[in-house]
C-alpha cells in the first residue's frame, strides 16, 4: 500500500497545479487553432503538442524535463539553443523561395527594409520597460515576424526567453489575418488601396536568378557577418534551386530537411514553455511588446510606401508595405486579399511576395546587427 | 531603471538609429545592384558574342506567329525526352536553353495542335 501511495505521489496528477493546467489548455488551444481553424498548422500543431508534453508535471532530477541535462528533450532542444534548427529552416526556405518577383521590382525591396523599423521601435520600448539590453534585442526581433530568426537571436542573447519569444513570434504570425488588415485599412485611403501595379517590369533571366544568391550573400553577410548562420544557408539553398543541377539536393532541402527541422523546432519550443519557467511577468511583457512590434512593423511598411509615392511617378499600392514583414507567405497573402476586397481584379500577390522576400533578408540582417551591437 | 533614462543609459537611441540606417542602406544597395544586374550580365554576353568568331546567327523568326517554323526548330530539343513527354519537362528545357516566352510558346503550339496529347498527361509532336 505504501508503495502504491509513493507511486501516486510521483504521478502528474499529484504534482499538477493550476499553472500546468493553464499551459496544457494553451497547448490544446494551439492544436485546436491548427486543426480546426487551420491557422499556420505547420507551426502551431507541433508547438501546441509540445506545450502539452512540456507541461506534464514530473519529479525533478529524473532527467525527463527539457531543462534537465541528459534528457531526450534536452538533446532535441540543443538544436534550438545552438541556433541549428533556424539555420536548417533557412536552408529549406532558400530552396523554396523564388526571387524572380523581387528581381523584377527591386524598388519594392525598400518596403522590406522599412518594415524592419518595428524592430528598432520595440528595442526602445523594451529598454524603456526595464528589460536588459540583450533581452530587449531578443524581444525586438519579434517585429521582424520571422520565427526562426527570433529563436536564433534569442538563443544567442537571452536563451532563458526562448519559450515566450518563440511562442509570441509564432502566435502573431498565425494571427496575421487578424492583426494586419485593420492597420492596413486605417493607414490607407480607398483610392490608395485601389492602385494597380504593373504586371511586370521586365522578364528575369536565369543568369540573374543564378547571380542573385551570390551577390546577396556577399553583400548582406559582409555588411552584417553575424547574420551568416541565417543568410548563408538561405542563399545557399536558393543557389542550389536556381542552379538546376542538384535537383535531388534542392528537393531534399525543401522537403525532408526543412520539415524535420520544423517538427523538432516547433515541438521543443512548445515543450520549453514549462509553466514554472514560462508563466512570469516578463512573458506577459514580451507578448504585449510582440504585438506592438508586429503592428509597428506593418504600419512602418505602409507609411514608407506612402512616402515613396510622394516621389514616384508611377505610384505603388501602399498595402504592399505590410508585406515587408518577413512572415512568408502569410502577410503577402493578406495584402493580396485586402486588395482584392477593394477591387476583385487587382492582383497584388506577386508584388507582395517581392516585399516579403526582401523582408526575410531584412529581418535576418537586423538579427545580425543586433547581435553585433550586443557583442560589444 | 526604466523610461527614457534606461534607453539613454543602454545606448538605445544610437542602436536604434544606427541599426535602422544600416538595414535601409544594405537593402537599398542590394536593390540597386540587382536592378543593374541584367545590364552587367548583358554586357558580358555582348562581349562574349563579339569575341566569338563562330557566334551563331540569330534566328529572326517570330516564334509565336511563325509556328510551323517554331515547331520545326524546337523539335530536336525534346530528343532526350523520347517521343512522349510532359509539358513541364518541355518548359524546363525551354528555360534551360533561355528560349523566349516558354509558357506562351508551349501554349501556342498546343492550341495550334503541333503538340498533341498522347494520354496520361504526356504530349508528342505532331507527325507530318
Amino acid at each position: 500500500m505504501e508503495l502504491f501511495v509513493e507511486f501516486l505521489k510521483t504521478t502528474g496528477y499529484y504534482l499538477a497545479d493550476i499553472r500546468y493546467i493553464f499551459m496544457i489548455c494553451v497547448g490544446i488551444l494551439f492544436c485546436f487553432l491548427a486543426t480546426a481553424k487551420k491557422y499556420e498548422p505547420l507551426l502551431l500543431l507541433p508547438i501546441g503538442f509540445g506545450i502539452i508534453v512540456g507541461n506534464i508535471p514530473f519529479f525533478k532530477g529524473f532527467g525527463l524535463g527539457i531543462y534537465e541535462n541528459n534528457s531526450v528533450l534536452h538533446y532535441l532542444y540543443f538544436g534550438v539553443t545552438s541556433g541549428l534548427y533556424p539555420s536548417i529552416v533557412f536552408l529549406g526556405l532558400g530552396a523554396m523561395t523564388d526571387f524572380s518577383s523581387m528581381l523584377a521590382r527591386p524598388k519594392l525591396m525598400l518596403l522590406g527594409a522599412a518594415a524592419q523599423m518595428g524592430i528598432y521601435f520595440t528595442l526602445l520600448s523594451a529598454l524603456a520597460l526595464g528589460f536588459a539590453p540583450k533581452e530587449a534585442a531578443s524581444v525586438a526581433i519579434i517585429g521582424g515576424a520571422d520565427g526562426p530568426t527570433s529563436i536564433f537571436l534569442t538563443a544567442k542573447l537571452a536563451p532563458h526567453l526562448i519559450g515566450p519569444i518563440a511562442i509570441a513570434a509564432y502566435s502573431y504570425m498565425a494571427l496575421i489575418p487578424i492583426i494586419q488588415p485593420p492597420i492596413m485599412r486605417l493607414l490607407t485611403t480607398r483610392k490608395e488601396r485601389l492602385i494597380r501595379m504593373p504586371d511586370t517590369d521586365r522578364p528575369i533571366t536565369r543568369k540573374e536568378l543564378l547571380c542573385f544568391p551570390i551577390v546577396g550573400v556577399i553583400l548582406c553577410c559582409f555588411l552584417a557577418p553575424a547574420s551568416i548562420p541565417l543568410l548563408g544557408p538561405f542563399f545557399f539553398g536558393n543557389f542550389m534551386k536556381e542552379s538546376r543541377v542538384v535537383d535531388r539536393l534542392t528537393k531534399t532541402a525543401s522537403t525532408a530537411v526543412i520539415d524535420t527541422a520544423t517538427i523538432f523546432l516547433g515541438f521543443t519550443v512548445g515543450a520549453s514553455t514549462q509553466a514554472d519557467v514560462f508563466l512570469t511577468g516578463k512573458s506577459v511583457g514580451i507578448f504585449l511588446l510582440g504585438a506592438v512590434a508586429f503592428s509597428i512593423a506593418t504600419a512602418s511598411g505602409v507609411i514608407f510606401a506612402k512616402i515613396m509615392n510622394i516621389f514616384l511617378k508611377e505610384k505603388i499600392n501602399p498595402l504592399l508595405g505590410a508585406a515587408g514583414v518577413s512572415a512568408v507567405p502569410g502577410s503577402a497573402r493578406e495584402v493580396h486579399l485586402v486588395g482584392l476586397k477593394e477591387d476583385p481584379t487587382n492582383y497584388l500577390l506577386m508584388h507582395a511576395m517581392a516585399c516579403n522576400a526582401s523582408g526575410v533578408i531584412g529581418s535576418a540582417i537586423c538579427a545580425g546587427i543586433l547581435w553585433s551591437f550586443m557583442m560589444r | 531603471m526604466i523610461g527614457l533614462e534606461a534607453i539613454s543609459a543602454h545606448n538605445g537611441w544610437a542602436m536604434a538609429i544606427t541599426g535602422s540606417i544600416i538595414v535601409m542602406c544594405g537593402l537599398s544597395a542590394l536593390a540597386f545592384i540587382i536592378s543593374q544586374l541584367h545590364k552587367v550580365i548583358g554586357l558580358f554576353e555582348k562581349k562574349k558574342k563579339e569575341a566569338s568568331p563562330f557566334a551563331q546567327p540569330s534566328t529572326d523568326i517570330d516564334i509565336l506567329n511563325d509556328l510551323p517554323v517554331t515547331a520545326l526548330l524546337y523539335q530536336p530539343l525534346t530528343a532526350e525526352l523520347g517521343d512522349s513527354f510532359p509539358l513541364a519537362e518541355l518548359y524546363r528545357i525551354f528555360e534551360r536553353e533561355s528560349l523566349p516566352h516558354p509558357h506562351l510558346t508551349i501554349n501556342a503550339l498546343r492550341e495550334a495542335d503541333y503538340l498533341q496529347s498522347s494520354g496520361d498527361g504526356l504530349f508528342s509532336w505532331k507527325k507530318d
Side-chain angles (χ1 to χ4, degrees):
Chain A
M1 187 65 187
E2 198 183 326
L3 184 68
F4 182 64
V5 173
E6 283 301 313
F7 168 74
L8 278 183
K9 284 184 180 173
T10 65
T11 63
Y13 300 108
Y14 181 83
L15 296 167
D17 65 37
I18 190 71
R19 297 172 305 167
Y20 292 101
I21 305 294
F22 173 76
M23 285 307 296
I24 288 173
C25 290
V26 172
I28 292 171
L29 174 70
F30 272 43
C31 289
F32 169 75
L33 290 174
T35 50
K37 301 284 177 187
K38 294 196 171 57
Y39 283 170
E40 298 283 348
L42 293 176
L43 303 172
L44 290 195
L45 197 138
I47 291 177
F49 207 88
I51 293 174
I52 296 171
V53 170
N55 281 283
I56 293 171
F58 58 87
F59 253 105
K60 298 277 189 293
F62 275 21
L64 296 170
I66 200 160
Y67 296 111
E68 291 187 305
N69 287 337
N70 300 324
S71 75
V72 174
L73 283 177
H74 186 76
Y75 284 120
L76 292 177
Y77 194 49
F78 175 75
V80 174
T81 53
S82 63
L84 182 66
Y85 295 150
S87 290
I88 297 174
V89 169
F90 262 70
L91 175 76
L93 269 180
M96 287 194 282
T97 305
D98 180 3
F99 282 111
S100 52
S101 59
M102 193 181 86
L103 292 172
R105 309 161 184 95
K107 68 180 171 214
L108 293 182
M109 280 189 80
L110 297 181
L111 298 180
Q116 309 309 320
M117 296 308 123
I119 292 176
Y120 297 104
F121 182 87
T122 314
L123 174 71
L124 296 177
S125 306
L127 286 173
L129 284 175
F131 281 88
K134 286 184 177 180
E135 291 176 341
S138 304
V139 176
I141 201 70
I142 298 174
D146 192 322
T149 305
S150 303
I151 292 169
F152 177 80
L153 187 68
T154 310
K156 298 298 170 196
L157 297 180
H160 56 289
L161 295 182
I162 283 181
I165 286 177
I167 299 291
Y170 281 124
S171 304
Y172 293 130
M173 281 166 69
L175 292 174
I176 281 173
I178 295 163
I179 298 173
Q180 285 201 313
I183 299 169
M184 289 188 241
R185 283 195 207 97
L186 186 72
L187 294 174
T188 54
T189 62
R190 183 173 150 74
K191 196 181 161 193
E192 285 172 327
R193 292 196 291 272
L194 286 171
I195 294 175
R196 278 174 176 272
M197 300 294 292
D199 273 349
T200 180
D201 292 337
R202 61 183 178 82
I204 298 302
T205 63
R206 186 173 166 239
K207 280 177 186 151
E208 280 177 85
L209 288 167
L210 210 49
C211 289
F212 174 69
I214 295 171
V215 172
V217 76
I218 291 172
L219 194 98
C220 297
C221 293
F222 267 74
L223 181 70
S227 61
I228 290 172
L230 295 175
L231 289 179
F234 181 66
F235 284 117
F236 170 53
N238 190 251
F239 188 66
M240 285 199 297
K241 172 182 178 281
E242 298 303 345
S243 72
R244 296 182 199 165
V245 292
V246 285
D247 284 349
R248 272 172 48 203
L249 303 188
T250 308
K251 198 176 167 193
T252 309
S254 60
T255 53
V257 169
I258 190 171
D259 289 347
T260 308
T262 304
I263 290 169
F264 289 128
L265 180 72
F267 184 73
T268 50
V269 160
S272 73
T273 61
Q274 265 178 226
D276 50 343
V277 181
F278 187 77
L279 290 179
T280 62
K282 241 176 199 169
S283 298
V284 177
I286 288 168
F287 270 81
L288 290 176
L289 282 170
V292 172
F294 205 82
S295 307
I296 298 282
T298 304
S300 48
V302 175
I303 292 168
F304 191 79
K306 290 170 74 127
I307 295 171
M308 279 172 77
N309 276 347
I310 298 172
F311 304 99
L312 289 174
K313 225 183 247 176
E314 195 178 81
K315 307 291 180 205
I316 53 174
N317 191 318
L319 290 176
L320 294 173
V325 297
S326 72
V328 181
S331 54
R333 189 176 53 216
E334 218 42 55
V335 166
H336 179 67
L337 291 176
V338 173
L340 279 185
K341 264 186 194 162
E342 299 294 340
D343 174 2
T345 60
N346 194 6
Y347 298 102
L348 297 172
L349 189 63
M350 289 318 287
H351 301 83
M353 281 306 292
C355 304
N356 231 183
S358 142
V360 175
I361 300 171
S363 64
I365 292 177
C366 283
I369 293 169
L370 286 173
W371 191 14
S372 308
F373 284 164
M374 297 301 157
M375 279 195 293
R376 285 186 307 118
Chain B
M1 203 192 311
I2 55 167
L4 296 178
E5 200 188 347
I7 298 176
S8 304
H10 296 303
N11 211 15
W13 299 113
M15 283 195 287
I17 294 168
T18 316
S20 310
I21 292 171
I22 294 173
V23 72
M24 190 56 92
C25 291
L27 285 183
S28 302
L30 189 59
F32 175 75
I33 289 172
I34 62 175
S35 70
Q36 304 302 313
L37 204 55
H38 65 288
K39 292 181 189 166
V40 179
I41 292 169
L43 209 68
F44 275 110
E45 280 180 344
K46 205 175 162 187
K47 272 191 181 171
K48 220 165 90 181
K49 271 184 189 169
E50 279 169 6
S52 167
F54 302 109
Q56 287 182 348
S58 65
T59 50
D60 279 337
I61 60 156
D62 185 349
I63 51 165
L64 292 176
N65 293 320
D66 208 353
L67 286 173
V69 181
T70 306
L72 204 66
L73 275 172
Y74 287 2
Q75 277 187 34
L77 292 173
T78 57
E80 60 186 271
L81 301 176
D83 285 343
S84 298
F85 43 85
L87 291 184
E89 279 300 307
L90 182 62
Y91 181 86
R92 193 180 58 77
I93 289 176
F94 278 20
E95 282 225 313
R96 188 187 67 197
E97 300 296 329
S98 300
L99 297 174
H101 315 300
H103 193 268
L104 283 175
T105 312
I106 293 173
N107 198 35
L109 289 168
R110 267 200 63 194
E111 283 178 356
D113 226 20
Y114 284 101
L115 283 169
Q116 296 173 327
S117 171
S118 47
D120 294 332
L122 300 176
F123 286 79
S124 54
W125 292 105
K126 183 184 175 184
K127 303 263 186 302
D128 286 328

